[in-house]
Amino acid sequence: MSIFSLLFLDSPLFVAAVDDSLVCRDLSAIWRKHLGLTTTAVVTLPLEKLFSFENESSVMDKIKQVILQGNMISGVSASLSERNPAATPVHTGLLSAWPVPQTHHEWMQALLVFTETTEYSRAINQLNQLQTTHELILNAVGEGIYGVDCEGNTTFVNEAATQILGWRAEDVIGKSLHAIHHHSYPDGTPYPSSECPIYAAFADDKVHRGDDEFFWHTDGTSVPVEYTSTPIREGDKLKGAVVIFRDITERRKSEQQREAAYTQIKILKDLLERERDYLRDEINVTSNFGEIIGESQALKRTLAQIEAVAKTSASVLILGESGVGKEMVARAIHAHSARTDKPLVKVNCASIPKDLFESEFFGHVRGSFTGAHRDRVGRLHLASGGTLFLDEVGEIPLDLQGKLLRALQEHEFERVGDDKTIKVDVRIVAATNRDLQAEVYAGRFRKDLYYRLSTFPIEVPPLRERIQDIGPLAIQFLDSICKELGRDPLTLTRQQLDSLNRYTWPGNIRELKNVIERAVILTKGNRLRLDLAMPSNNQAEKSLMLMPTENEEFVPDAIFREKEKLNIIAVLRHTHWRISGTDGAAELLGIKPSTLAYRMKAYGIKKSESL
């Protein structure tokens, strides 16, 4: 049986073997059927009886050159003759031809393949599903093809294989295919032929595929390939294998680029989601504290400190009572720094549960702990390149302060459940209403962390020391609140301004804003009912009584904390255990609801204590 019959007789394509006299000597079964010939009939048909060309003499010459000089042609337009030679051709398509090597390297025959363009896509889909030798050979159009015998020696090489690897037919035919281009791994270590999956195809009579190996080019470089090695059988006897392969260098690059892009997109997606959530939480704060208002000397000293430190990279510790606008100062420092176009990320240290501290600051990977259903970007990573604002930094649990200190000192950290180190460039601005030095002496705050945070301390004066600023602040709040509530503009009278100036404002700017908002809500006509919103004189006197004097004796910490606990219980009873909102316990104490909740938890205060 001829090689043609063995490989192409049952091909689903129109395949013909033509000699140097341009006479067809054999045809595939589908072509025989098309011409009404039996599978055993001897074929001697002139080429012009099979095709009709627009420029017949030119095409005939090209086919002749294929046989005589070993050239190849492809994509030549042709029409296939019908069974009746006189009939008008109706099958149009593309003709390809390549030489078939004979002995002494002389090209004595050409193999022709005619592909109907209308059926081309269907044929390709069918070829991809075939698992036989015929499928692999036909699937080689545009791909490298090697034929090997049962000893592993090369019997056939197509032009695509030469283009991919550089090996010409005369270089490899009759020689070991594995020894030529599959002899070593990419790192140069030997690849024994006994482990070669290509050779295994004609040993175990199974199809072997691979997409993670390399063939060697003539220039000594390795080429990543995807290949299929399929055994060839003649009856019950194995004759060798056909190897179909393609260079996947570009695909590998695309996959790597796609994977890198996907990773980057995922990181950016997480960052954007965190920024989105963060901005939702902060949008009210931004609108209410968009600028620092006031002309008092105390405020001017603070502004001068802000101006001096903003352009540097020094850590800043903002000190002051609750409600004085420490966060506003932090925003001003960031806005006037070189990092202004990068994010300012806020962390309220008092509101983070202890068991979620690491996840909140550093992030976590999926599955690192119960409830970690997806990767999370931590606040420290989110602030990379910008500023991290640690509000109420004195509330960080002592056993967690060391982890934060290490991250701030070394500018690197690991997410929870991850061993990959992430480097960040973050400026730290911290704020607290506590006396951190006293906390350090009491052993509740790390000394090294305190000095790391307090490179440049800024003291924000309370509102009672900024009497000149009360009026401008009140007018600003009144204007913005009227707009927010859809009310007609209201004004403050001189008498009302005097009343505001006389009050001591234990809750500072936050309390002032609440009073103005409450007054707007209570106003029915065009006259602002500040009288209904202002705290009573008794409350003002009580707030003055709470202020320490120079001669006041101190009390031990345990007694102080017991008094604080009793004070919290008293205000909770007064508000019927309403913590937040207007006239809530937190507002009356002049602290944030989150701070009150934290202190209630620290003191173990529960509602049952009111009974």
Side-chain angles (χ1 to χ4, degrees):
M1 183 178 290
S2 66
I3 293 297
F4 181 91
S5 298
L6 177 64
L7 299 180
F8 301 106
L9 181 60
D10 296 328
S11 171
L13 296 181
F14 289 84
V15 184
V18 181
D19 63 14
D20 55 356
S21 61
L22 299 185
V23 174
C24 177
R25 298 298 182 181
D26 209 345
L27 294 168
S28 62
I30 191 173
W31 211 332
R32 288 171 178 268
K33 183 178 179 180
H34 176 74
L35 296 175
L37 301 175
T38 66
T39 57
T40 58
V42 177
V43 178
T44 55
L45 292 173
L47 198 57
E48 58 267 21
K49 295 293 186 180
L50 300 177
F51 298 103
S52 174
F53 305 104
E54 292 182 4
N55 191 341
E56 184 172 310
S57 60
S58 175
V59 176
M60 291 298 185
D61 288 342
K62 290 181 179 180
I63 296 175
K64 190 76 171 178
Q65 295 301 316
V66 169
I67 299 172
L68 298 179
Q69 298 183 12
N71 299 334
M72 292 181 63
I73 62 172
S74 61
V76 177
S77 298
S79 299
L80 191 64
S81 297
E82 289 293 318
R83 180 176 180 180
N84 180 5
T88 302
V90 295
H91 294 276
T92 60
L94 301 175
L95 177 66
S96 299
W98 61 86
V100 177
Q102 302 297 317
T103 58
H104 307 297
H105 307 294
E106 296 178 358
W107 307 106
M108 299 302 294
Q109 291 187 1
L111 195 65
L112 307 183
V113 175
F114 174 79
T115 305
E116 290 185 77
T117 55
T118 56
E119 298 295 328
Y120 182 74
S121 297
R122 180 188 62 80
I124 291 298
N125 292 333
Q126 291 176 344
L127 291 175
N128 290 334
Q129 299 173 5
L130 294 177
Q131 296 181 355
T132 64
T133 305
H134 304 79
E135 171 208 2
L136 297 174
I137 294 175
L138 294 175
N139 206 24
V141 176
E143 300 173 339
I145 302 178
Y146 276 107
V148 293
D149 59 22
C150 289
E151 284 70 44
N153 296 321
T154 309
T155 60
F156 176 76
V157 179
N158 74 337
E159 182 65 23
T162 301
Q163 293 176 357
I164 295 173
L165 298 177
W167 298 100
R168 297 172 300 176
E170 55 266 31
D171 299 327
V172 298
I173 289 180
K175 300 178 182 178
S176 170
L177 178 66
H178 183 82
I180 293 171
H181 72 63
H182 206 200
H183 50 78
S184 304
Y185 291 102
D187 61 1
T189 57
Y191 195 150
S193 60
S194 58
E195 299 176 6
C196 179
I198 294 174
Y199 282 12
F202 50 80
D204 58 15
D205 195 18
K206 295 180 180 179
V207 177
H208 289 261
R209 295 183 175 87
D211 60 1
D212 59 350
E213 295 200 36
F214 294 81
F215 288 170
W216 290 93
H217 196 278
T218 53
D219 61 8
T221 60
S222 58
V223 179
V225 295
E226 176 184 67
Y227 68 86
T228 305
S229 178
T230 304
I232 299 176
R233 300 184 61 85
E234 183 177 0
D236 296 331
K237 186 176 181 181
L238 281 170
K239 301 294 290 185
V242 171
V243 183
I244 312 295
F245 68 94
R246 62 172 63 90
D247 182 355
I248 59 172
T249 301
E250 293 303 319
R251 192 179 80 184
R252 286 278 182 89
K253 290 181 181 178
S254 298
E255 289 173 350
Q256 293 171 356
Q257 292 172 353
R258 192 161 52 243
E259 183 66 24
Y262 174 77
T263 301
Q264 185 65 20
I265 289 171
K266 187 175 183 299
I267 292 173
L268 292 175
K269 176 176 176 290
D270 289 342
L271 286 172
L272 287 173
E273 287 179 350
R274 296 286 287 168
E275 286 182 347
R276 177 201 63 195
D277 296 340
Y278 175 76
L279 289 174
R280 284 176 178 172
D281 295 339
E282 297 300 308
I283 188 168
N284 291 330
V285 176
T286 302
S287 60
N288 293 333
F289 297 96
E291 58 180 329
I292 299 176
I293 298 173
E295 292 292 333
S296 66
Q297 289 300 317
L299 180 61
K300 288 180 178 180
R301 286 195 297 270
T302 301
L303 293 176
Q305 290 180 302
I306 294 174
E307 184 178 4
V309 76
K311 298 297 183 182
T312 73
S313 59
S315 298
V316 179
L317 179 62
I318 306 172
L319 304 170
E321 299 176 6
S322 179
V324 295
K326 294 187 290 296
E327 183 175 339
M328 180 172 55
V329 173
R331 292 181 181 277
I333 293 172
H334 175 73
H336 291 82
S337 72
R339 300 169 182 258
T340 183
D341 57 339
K342 299 296 183 179
L344 168 66
V345 177
K346 172 188 172 183
V347 181
N348 188 328
C349 301
S351 65
I352 303 174
K354 181 178 179 180
D355 54 348
L356 295 180
F357 179 87
E358 287 187 85
S359 174
E360 185 71 21
F361 266 85
F362 309 126
H364 63 254
V365 296
R366 179 181 178 183
S368 56
F369 56 85
T370 303
H373 301 301
R374 65 183 182 90
D375 290 355
R376 180 178 184 180
V377 179
R379 293 294 179 98
L380 194 60
H381 193 185
L382 187 63
S384 184
T387 304
L388 181 64
F389 175 45
L390 303 177
D391 195 13
E392 300 188 60
V393 69
E395 306 291 344
I396 299 177
L398 182 62
D399 58 337
L400 298 175
Q401 293 173 15
K403 296 179 180 179
L404 176 61
L405 176 64
R406 175 184 174 274
L408 298 183
Q409 286 180 333
E410 301 180 9
H411 301 286
E412 63 182 31
F413 63 93
E414 295 85 32
R415 293 187 297 174
V416 178
D418 194 5
D419 58 0
K420 180 181 179 182
T421 299
I422 300 175
K423 292 188 176 295
V424 291
D425 173 25
V426 176
R427 181 185 191 175
I428 302 300
V429 176
T432 182
N433 57 9
R434 288 190 178 190
D435 184 346
L436 283 191
Q437 281 190 323
E439 294 292 302
V440 170
Y441 295 144
R444 291 186 293 269
F445 201 85
R446 290 179 63 113
K447 181 186 295 186
D448 46 7
L449 180 58
Y450 169 72
Y451 287 117
R452 176 67 178 81
L453 297 175
S454 60
T455 303
F456 192 93
I458 294 178
E459 183 79 31
V460 182
L463 191 56
R464 60 181 173 273
E465 296 179 7
R466 299 169 49 192
I467 296 177
Q468 292 174 270
D469 300 337
I470 294 176
L473 282 169
I475 294 171
Q476 171 66 23
F477 286 143
L478 180 61
D479 181 61
S480 63
I481 291 170
C482 286
K483 291 180 180 178
E484 182 180 342
L485 299 180
R487 297 288 302 268
D488 292 335
L490 298 171
T491 59
L492 284 165
T493 64
R494 171 54 59 184
Q495 183 180 5
Q496 290 172 332
L497 287 174
D498 291 341
S499 176
L500 292 174
N501 290 337
R502 285 194 300 271
Y503 186 59
T504 57
W505 301 108
N508 293 292
I509 297 175
R510 184 182 296 112
E511 184 183 8
L512 174 61
K513 178 179 180 296
N514 291 343
V515 167
I516 298 298
E517 184 172 6
R518 190 159 58 244
V520 173
I521 294 173
L522 294 173
T523 299
K524 301 298 183 181
N526 296 326
R527 182 176 178 275
L528 181 68
R529 295 305 305 270
L530 184 65
D531 55 321
L532 299 178
M534 282 291 292
S536 66
N537 291 332
N538 289 336
Q539 288 177 303
E541 291 173 1
K542 288 179 181 178
S543 66
L544 286 171
M545 291 173 62
L546 291 175
M547 296 175 59
T549 63
E550 294 182 359
N551 298 324
E552 184 177 1
E553 295 184 358
F554 63 88
V555 296
D557 182 71
I559 297 176
F560 173 79
R561 291 186 175 276
E562 182 62 27
K563 288 183 177 180
E564 184 179 28
K565 178 179 178 180
L566 293 175
N567 186 57
I568 291 174
I569 293 174
V571 75
L572 287 170
R573 288 174 177 171
H574 176 74
T575 62
H576 303 287
W577 289 80
R578 185 158 57 86
I579 295 176
S580 59
T582 303
D583 291 330
E587 181 181 297
L588 295 180
L589 289 173
I591 61 177
K592 295 182 179 179
S594 59
T595 303
L596 178 57
Y598 175 80
R599 293 179 183 176
M600 289 173 63
K601 182 178 179 181
Y603 288 130
I605 299 174
K606 298 180 181 179
K607 192 172 182 179
S608 59
E609 296 188 13
S610 66
L611 302 177

